[in-house]
Structures are given as C-alpha cells and as structure tokens.
C-alpha cells in the first residue's frame, strides 16, 4: 500500500468512528464566533480573563508604540541577536511577581514542555508523570533519554510507592503534573506533592500551570501561588497564550536552571524568538495582572454555577475550575450533542479520543470572565 493509500484509508476509518478532525472556518466578534454562517457564544476559548476582547486595553497599549518603535520580528534566536530589551523586562517582571531567582521566556507552552525535560534529564533520571498530562509534556518525555513511568491520575499513593521503589536506583526523580488539568478541569494537590518532595531528598517537581496562570491565586500567578508553594516547585511553567491574551510561555526557577536551559534547551536555542512587540504586550498585561481580581472572582462564580447545573442534570463533573466537561461517552453521540448546542447558539466543542480515553468523549466548556451570568443561565437552560 502506498503512503497516500494508507493515509486515505486511515482518514476514512477516523470518519467512520466520528473521530475525523478538520480546521473550522471561523470569524470572531468579542465573545461570539460565526461558523458556517451562524453566530454563537464562544464557550471554547482560552481567553480566561476575557482580556483578548478588551478594546480599551488594546488602545492603551497601541498608544505606547509608533512605527519607529513597533518591533514586528526579532529576526533571530535569542542567543544570537534576537534578545531584545522587552525579553529582559518580562523576565524581570516575572521573577519579581513570583519572588523567584529568575524567569525564562519561550515561544510557546509547547516549546517549553518539549524542550525542558530533554535538556535536564539523563539516564540517571526517572520521570514520574501523571497519566493525564498534556501532549506537549508527553512529547518532551519521549525526546528525553530518561525512563518514564505514568502514575494513575492524581493517585499519590501509587506515586509514593513508585518513589519508594526507585529512589535508590536513580540520582533524580522528577514528578510531572499539571496544576489544573486540560480535559477534566480538576486540580492536582500541590501541597501533597510538596510533602512528597520534602520526604524524599532526590525528588523534584515540574508543574504546568497553563490553565491556572492568570486565573488562580491572589495576584493571578496560579495554583502554586494559591497554595503558597511557589518556592517548592523546581520547574514552574505556564503559558501567555491563554489567560494572558498573548503568546509564549515561561518558567520561573533558580538561576542555575535558567542558565543551564539557555545552554542546553534546543527549543529555545534553535528557533526565532517571538516578536518583541509580543513581549511588550505581555509586559503591559503583567503590570495589570494582580488587579484583575474581579475578573477572577466572576469566572469562579459562573464556573460554579455551571458545575452545579451539570451535576443536577446527572453528569459527573470532576472539575474544580473554569474548565468543565460534560461527559457523554460515545463519540458520535457527543458530536450530536455539540451540534444541538450549536443550533441553539452555543459554540461548545466535542473532545474525542485520542485526546481523551476511549468511551469518555465529552463536550468541553471553557469559560471566560467575559461571559455574563445571564449567558450562563441561558446555556444551562439549553442543556
Ligand atoms: C495549552 C497548553 C500547553 C501549550 O501551550 P501553548 O502556549 O499553547 O503552546 C501546554 N500545556 C498545557 C497543559 C496546555 O493546556
């Protein structure tokens, strides 16, 4: 069979099981989207604080740049000539906000998770990763030369057993988790992970806060801030593309780790740095991040309302956050449910295998602070 024939066959198979994906043609108007001529409320955005649709913020930012100071490209890797001042400014801001020795910016969360573990791991490292960590972490683990064992989701008894069993065989054990998980919206117990780290001297913690940065904690720094354990997380990673309405990602960490990554991390070294204008926008929003308390509170409030409604309609809802799954089970039934919701004006998307385990296809609601309480009420009535 030729490659083309094989691809055609596999695509047909995906279509037959309701798992074929395609790129949607989509137009955006603030919290609404138009798809196939129909305008709907966007319930699938990662603009968690609603900052991306705030015209007054854009205007204020644009007033700070002129054609002479607008920097649309870095034209180079940061290690060559791409390290514009805006980079150092954002890293200084991040280290100050978190109270860490240093911070380092990457082109995306995918670059961060793809590059960090392969850079720091070797054959004497064991990676213990939660069964449900994001694909970018899985790919980073695959690229590393270390052995990896996946523990059952949030199952810290099994995790501790694995640590006990392997603590003397490896120099270093790195425990990898998300703080808020992408698909169930549930939370890791960072305090318990910190307890494990303190109980076993060669354990390090890697926490991906992609869904929590901006949203959780007094200043919006994430679950680690909320739980008061920023200093205990060795690799505290998050992205700027979600709540911060921009692009890029960060790690906040010790100086020695930052310097090591600059020397060893291939997804930092061998790529053109993000446009400086993007870093200026990040910096502009970081200055204001601690002040978006009302947005964080409102987001928590409408999330709790939707969660209670899902539970009262008989759905299991493991979520502790603004990401709320409505687990239907079968892929085709899930697609049909999504289509019904879309007909009613709600753009919520089905998530199917292989993104989630077989038999747990779901509608994934991803709420933002730009949604109003009455819009959430209308959604609840439509369910
Ligand atoms: C979105 C996401 C990423 C990827 O971040 P990007 O900046 O979009 O590349 C990584 N990890 C998790 C948990 C995510 O949800």
């Amino acid at each position: 069979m030729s490659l083309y024939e094989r691809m055609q066959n596999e695509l047909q198979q995906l279509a037959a099981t309701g798992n074929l994906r395609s790129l949607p043609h989509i137009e955006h108007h603030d919290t609404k989207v138009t798809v196939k001529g129909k305008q709907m409320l966007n319930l699938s955005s990662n603009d968690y604080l609603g900052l991306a649709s705030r015209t007054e913020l854009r205007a204020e930012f644009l007033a700070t740049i002129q054609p002479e100071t607008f920097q649309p490209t870095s034209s180079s890797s940061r290690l060559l000539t791409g390290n514009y001042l805006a980079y150092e400014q954002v890293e200084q801001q991040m280290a100050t906000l978190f109270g860490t020795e240093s911070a380092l910016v990457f082109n995306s969360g995918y670059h961060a998770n793809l590059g960090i573990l392969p850079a720091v791991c070797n054959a004497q490292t064991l990676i213990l990763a939660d069964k449900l960590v994001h694909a970018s972490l899985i790919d980073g683990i695959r690229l590393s030369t270390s052995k990896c064992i996946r523990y059952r989701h949030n199952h810290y008894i099994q995790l501790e057993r694995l640590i006990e069993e392997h603590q003397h065989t490896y120099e270093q054990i790195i425990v990898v988790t998300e703080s808020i998980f992408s698909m169930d919206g549930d939370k890791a117990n960072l305090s318990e992970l910190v307890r494990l780290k303190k109980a076993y001297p060669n354990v390090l913690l890697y926490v991906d806060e992609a869904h929590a940065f901006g949203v959780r904690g007094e200043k919006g720094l994430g679950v680690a801030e909320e739980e008061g354990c920023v200093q205990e997380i060795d690799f505290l990673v998050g992205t700027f593309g979600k709540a911060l309405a921009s692009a890029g990602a960060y790690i906040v960490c010790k100086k020695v780790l930052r310097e090591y990554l600059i020397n060893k991390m291939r997804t930092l070294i061998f790529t053109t740095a993000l446009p400086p204008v993007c870093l200026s926008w990040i910096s502009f929003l970081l200055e204001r991040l601690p002040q978006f308390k009302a947005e964080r509170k409102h987001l928590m409030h409408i999330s709790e309302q939707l969660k209670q409604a899902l539970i009262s309609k008989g759905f299991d809802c493991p979520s502790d956050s603004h990401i709320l799954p409505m687990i239907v089970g079968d892929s085709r039934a899930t697609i049909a449910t999504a289509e019904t919701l879309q007909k009613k004006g709600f753009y919520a998307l089905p998530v199917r295998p292989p993104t989630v385990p077989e038999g747990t296809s779901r509608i994934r609601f991803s709420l933002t602070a730009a949604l109003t309480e009455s819009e959430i009420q209308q959604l609840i009535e439509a369910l």
Side-chain angles (χ1 to χ4, degrees), residues 70-348:
F70 171 58
Q71 293 165 324
T73 176
S74 65
S75 308
S76 171
S77 162
R78 288 183 68 191
L79 281 93
L80 302 173
T81 60
N83 197 32
Y84 282 73
L85 274 181
Y87 269 92
E88 300 192 349
Q89 185 174 334
V90 166
E91 288 171 353
Q92 187 53 59
Q93 272 175 298
M94 288 294 284
T96 304
L97 272 170
F98 280 86
T100 53
E101 285 181 15
S102 69
L104 185 61
V105 170
F106 312 107
N107 284 13
S108 73
Y110 190 78
H111 282 78
N113 287 336
L114 193 68
I116 293 170
L117 285 169
V120 302
C121 292
N122 62 19
Q124 284 76 51
T125 313
L126 173 66
I127 299 169
L128 298 176
D130 189 285
K131 187 81 186 152
L132 295 189
V133 294
H134 192 260
S136 56
L137 285 162
I138 303 295
D139 292 354
I141 290 166
R142 281 192 191 145
L143 278 179
S144 78
T145 52
S146 300
K147 182 178 162 67
C148 173
I149 304 174
R150 311 274 294 275
Y151 59 90
R152 286 201 293 285
H153 178 51
N154 278 348
H155 199 308
Y156 300 133
I157 296 172
Q158 184 195 12
L159 175 61
E160 183 158 17
R161 244 187 277 124
L162 288 167
I163 294 172
E164 268 169 8
E165 189 182 330
H166 295 286
Q167 58 173 325
H168 302 299
T169 328
Y170 292 90
E171 273 177 15
Q172 204 77 75
I173 296 177
I174 303 182
V175 174
V176 179
T177 186
E178 286 171 38
S179 62
I180 291 175
F181 283 85
S182 305
M183 289 303 138
D184 286 338
D186 59 339
K187 243 175 32 169
N189 184 343
L190 294 189
S191 307
E192 174 61 12
L193 290 174
V194 167
R195 186 194 68 76
L196 284 177
K197 171 181 157 150
K198 287 183 174 160
Y200 301 90
N202 59 347
V203 169
L204 298 178
L205 299 178
Y206 185 130
V207 177
D208 181 343
E209 297 246 48
H211 300 292
F213 180 65
V215 172
R216 304 300 281 249
E218 231 353 75
K219 291 188 282 183
L221 303 182
V223 175
E225 185 203 0
E226 197 171 68
E227 306 260 319
C229 61
V230 167
Q231 305 305 328
E232 307 297 336
I233 314 293
D234 304 278
F235 305 83
L236 189 55
V237 174
T239 94
F240 296 129
K242 290 173 176 149
L244 212 72
S246 185
Y250 66 84
I251 186 171
V252 287
C253 60
K254 290 198 194 306
K255 268 202 176 108
V256 56
L257 175 52
R258 179 179 188 272
E259 190 178 353
Y260 192 81
L261 291 173
I262 290 169
N263 281 273
K264 299 281 186 176
M265 185 174 162
R266 296 173 66 86
T267 59
L268 173 73
I269 299 170
F270 298 108
T271 188
T272 300
L274 287 176
V277 66
C278 179
L279 274 290
S280 303
W281 171 242
I282 292 171
S283 173
F284 174 88
L285 291 177
L286 282 178
E287 266 173 39
R288 290 156 181 78
L289 183 62
Q291 296 154 33
F292 296 127
K293 286 196 176 85
E295 285 80 356
R296 286 189 276 278
K297 195 168 162 214
H298 175 65
L299 181 60
M300 288 304 110
H301 177 65
I302 57 175
S303 303
E304 187 57 30
Q305 283 184 322
L306 182 55
K307 176 176 171 164
Q308 290 313 324
L310 287 169
I311 290 171
S312 74
K313 286 173 200 293
F315 292 98
D316 258 352
C317 192
S319 170
D320 303 306
S321 70
H322 55 290
I323 296 169
L324 297 127
M326 182 168 93
I327 300 169
V328 177
D330 176 68
S331 288
R332 270 165 298 191
T334 309
I335 291 173
T337 310
E339 279 168 1
T340 308
L341 275 174
Q342 290 177 15
K343 278 203 190 90
K344 294 180 179 174
F346 300 99
Y347 194 59

